[in-house]
Amino acid sequence: MNLYSVYDEVAQTFNAPFPEANHNSAMRSFGLACSDPQTILAKHPGDYYLYFLGELDVHTGEISTVLPERLARGTDFKEVE
C-alpha cells in the first residue's frame, strides 16, 4: 500500500499521510477533493500538491520512504470553462 500526502504551499506543510492502492487511485481521490466546492482544496487549488511519500508493508508495518515525489497540482483537476 502506498502513502501520499497533500502539501499546502501557503502553510508550507504536508498534511497527514493517507493510504491508497496506487498513484492512479491517489490522483482520483485528490482530484475529487479539488473538484468538490465544499473543500478548501477546491477554493484554492493552486495552493495544493499531491505527493507520493513511500510504501507501507501491511504485514510488517514497515514503511519504506522515498524523497517526496510530486504527482499533481490542484489546478490540474480544475475544469476548463
Side-chain angles (χ1 to χ4, degrees), residues 13-72:
T13 59
F14 283 89
N15 289 300
F18 62 93
E20 284 287 349
N22 55 47
H23 288 2
N24 291 334
S25 62
M27 289 182 61
R28 178 180 59 202
S29 294
F30 180 62
L32 287 170
C34 290
S35 300
D36 180 349
Q38 300 300 315
T39 68
I40 188 77
L41 279 74
K43 292 179 171 119
H44 304 282
D47 295 345
Y48 298 98
Y49 296 86
L50 175 66
Y51 276 83
F52 169 63
L53 301 180
E55 295 180 17
L56 168 67
D57 184 318
V58 297
H59 300 291
T60 66
E62 292 181 297
I63 297 174
S64 64
T65 59
V66 297
L67 286 176
E69 176 187 350
R70 187 165 70 187
L71 301 178

Side-chain angles (χ1 to χ4, degrees), residues 34-35 45 74-81:
C34 290
S35 300
T75 53
D76 294 344
F77 302 95
K78 183 102 170 136
E79 288 187 24
V80 178
E81 298 176 13

